[in-house]
Amino acid sequence: SYIYRAGKENAQIIADAASKKSTTAEKVQLAHDIINHISSYSTVTDSKVSLYPFEAFSALVPGDAYEPVCEGYSKAMKMVCDILGIPCILVISETHMWNNIKMDDGNWYIADLTWDDGNAMKPFEYFLIGQETVVGGTPFYLEKTHQEIDIYSALLAANDFDISFDYPERSKTAYSASGYTMSEGLDELAAELEIIFRDVPRDKWYYNAIQYVYDEGLFNGTAEGIFSPNGDMDRAMFVQVLANKTENYEAAAGSMIFNDVSDGQWYYESVQWAAANDIVRGYENGTFNPKGKITREQMAVMLHNYAIKTGTDVTVTGSRHLSFTDFNRVSVWAQEAMIWAVDRGIINGMTDTTLEPKSTAKRSQVAQIFKNADDLLNDTLIVDIPETEEPETEETDESETGESEISEAA
């Protein structure tokens, strides 16, 4: 499931950040500090999620519903150390789990993230300490919660395995007596670890684009934590994204020109705004078809109209569109817009040689298109266009569904 995948991804991100540190101690400390920074000890008793706090992902994924208990902290620490190639084992008592970590000097030291988390005054009391390190007035090895059980030797003996095993000998003293300074950049790293949409894996081609539209406030998900990257984009959604992008967006005065868009519908104001600014013009029969799936050529036309209305230069100097063998399938009313969008690298092909202008645009594709257009459409103020610069006279062209669609509008 996504939570296990996200935990694995985040462990790698933490390890990548830690690998840039100079010493083993600094690497381990960054893992310790960021896990504690993004986690809070779980107090959930709901039986439906009772097992989740025991898994590593509970301490590796910030902002989700699952927080760790000692097992979650310890497994997360081991997961990161394993990626870094730093020896780290899980250690248990009758009621608790923590880590022993082998440092450069060849000795094993204790790290207990559970007890450090939430300790605002000293979030490092149990970091790379020794067996005889005094914490709260008591040497570590005498603390009731930390009466370590040698499960490895016991397991070998119980199964009569003829295997020699030297249980790690812990150092009696702490790794370093020098002062502890919290790792830098924890907030930035925590933001990188945050999972906004659980159906958008980091290894997908659209991850950065979806992160972009979310950060820019252009897109919302289709449900909490869900983006639906492969879902179809409808015309109302696309107009709303344009409205979200516009710095001086405001509802337009006057009556709605489309007979299928009624007051009270969530997209009413954005469609009215887009129509008032000649960004959309709809169909010859007076409809806008808000729930209709937007095609790639319709999307190009809306973007082209938006560029004109925001004062963006729409001059075309290249002929990249000619490299696509199906450009002749672009409707007459969309050709100028598609040439511009392709020439400027806003819309790329579905393959190296095809545009598929009449294919439905997916939400992930639209996210990528807005990311592609970021530098070009950086003017987001609707401006008054002199009459001589307004879009050309409207024409009609038969759509594939038989409807007569107005030029430049989509």
Side-chain angles (χ1 to χ4, degrees):
S1 70
Y2 95 91
I3 46 181
Y4 288 97
R5 182 200 74 225
K8 184 177 180 180
E9 291 174 350
N10 281 1
Q12 185 65 59
I13 291 173
I14 294 172
D16 288 345
S19 67
K20 298 175 183 177
K21 299 294 184 179
S22 301
T23 67
T24 299
E26 289 174 328
K27 294 173 183 178
V28 174
Q29 183 188 326
L30 179 60
H32 169 278
D33 290 353
I34 189 60
I35 290 171
N36 281 348
H37 186 70
I38 65 175
S39 304
S40 297
Y41 189 83
S42 175
T43 57
V44 174
T45 58
D46 186 344
S47 60
K48 293 181 180 179
V49 298
S50 60
L51 295 179
Y52 293 149
F54 294 84
E55 301 295 338
F57 70 78
S58 65
L60 292 168
V61 182
D64 65 0
Y66 315 116
E67 293 295 335
V69 292
C70 58
E71 286 91 339
Y73 286 104
S74 303
K75 291 175 182 177
M77 189 67 177
K78 176 171 171 51
M79 197 171 185
V80 175
C81 285
D82 285 349
I83 296 173
L84 290 167
I86 298 173
C88 177
I89 63 172
L90 302 175
V91 187
I92 64 168
S93 66
E94 290 186 356
T95 60
H96 191 46
M97 179 181 286
W98 63 99
N99 299 105
N100 284 343
I101 302 174
K102 188 177 183 180
M103 299 301 290
D104 293 336
D105 60 4
N107 295 320
W108 291 80
Y109 296 88
I110 297 155
D112 191 339
L113 281 79
T114 307
W115 287 78
D116 278 345
D117 190 18
N119 186 347
M121 298 300 294
K122 293 182 178 180
F124 47 83
E125 279 194 310
Y126 286 87
F127 178 68
L128 298 184
I129 62 173
Q131 284 284 77
E132 296 181 359
T133 300
V134 176
V135 181
T138 304
F140 178 86
Y141 77 96
L142 292 179
E143 293 180 349
K144 183 177 181 180
T145 306
H146 291 116
Q147 296 301 301
E148 187 172 335
I149 299 173
D150 180 356
I151 60 171
Y152 304 99
S153 298
L155 180 64
L156 294 175
N159 290 276
D160 197 27
F161 290 134
D162 186 18
I163 301 174
S164 61
F165 178 80
D166 293 327
Y167 192 73
E169 192 72 31
R170 271 81 63 221
S171 173
K172 292 182 180 180
T173 59
Y175 178 70
S176 174
S178 60
Y180 185 100
T181 303
M182 191 67 68
S183 300
E184 296 181 352
L186 294 181
D187 287 338
E188 292 80 1
L189 182 54
E192 190 176 350
L193 298 173
E194 187 176 1
I195 305 297
I196 306 301
F197 300 110
R198 56 180 179 268
D199 59 344
V200 182
R202 288 189 176 90
D203 60 355
K204 294 296 184 180
W205 64 265
Y206 46 71
Y207 174 81
N208 288 333
I210 290 174
Q211 189 71 37
Y212 164 81
V213 294
Y214 174 80
D215 290 342
E216 293 293 314
L218 303 182
F219 274 47
N220 291 317
T222 56
E224 184 177 356
I226 299 294
F227 186 81
S228 302
N230 295 316
D232 295 332
M233 191 78 170
D234 66 39
R235 290 161 59 82
M237 286 179 185
F238 193 83
V239 167
Q240 185 62 57
V241 175
L242 288 174
N244 291 345
K245 186 175 178 62
T246 305
E247 186 175 341
N248 61 342
Y249 166 74
E250 59 181 21
S255 58
M256 171 61 67
I257 66 170
F258 301 123
N259 57 37
D260 61 344
V261 179
S262 303
D263 194 5
Q265 293 170 311
W266 67 263
Y267 47 80
Y268 178 87
E269 288 189 357
S270 58
V271 171
Q272 187 179 30
W273 161 84
N277 286 286
D278 290 326
I279 295 170
V280 298
R281 298 182 188 174
Y283 295 84
E284 219 175 31
N285 61 4
T287 63
F288 176 68
N289 191 19
K291 293 299 182 182
K293 298 175 181 179
I294 194 168
T295 65
R296 289 164 59 79
E297 65 180 7
Q298 290 173 353
M299 186 169 52
V301 168
M302 290 189 193
L303 285 168
H304 188 252
N305 288 343
Y306 182 83
I308 293 172
K309 293 300 292 187
T310 54
T312 300
D313 181 11
V314 292
T315 303
V316 174
T317 58
S319 57
R320 182 169 176 257
H321 64 285
L322 296 178
S323 64
F324 296 100
T325 58
D326 62 345
F327 186 79
N328 60 347
R329 295 193 66 235
V330 178
S331 300
V332 173
W333 48 264
Q335 286 182 4
E336 179 182 355
M338 186 64 84
I339 290 171
W340 166 79
V342 171
D343 181 62
R344 295 302 185 90
I346 297 173
I347 293 180
N348 294 310
M350 294 293 286
T351 68
D352 290 340
T353 59
T354 58
L355 282 172
E356 298 184 24
K358 293 177 170 54
S359 293
T360 300
K362 303 298 184 182
R363 286 170 55 82
S364 55
Q365 294 169 349
V366 175
Q368 185 64 58
I369 284 168
F370 273 94
K371 186 175 187 299
N372 293 345
D374 180 59
D375 290 338
L376 183 63
L377 297 181
N378 54 12
D379 291 325
T380 58
L381 284 168
I382 296 294
V383 297
D384 292 328
I385 305 296
E387 188 172 345
T388 56
E389 296 182 27
E390 290 183 356
E392 63 184 344
T393 304
E394 296 177 356
E395 299 175 1
T396 60
D397 184 68
E398 291 298 318
S399 70
E400 289 192 325
T401 60
E403 292 178 303
S404 182
E405 190 165 10
I406 296 178
S407 165
E408 299 282 347

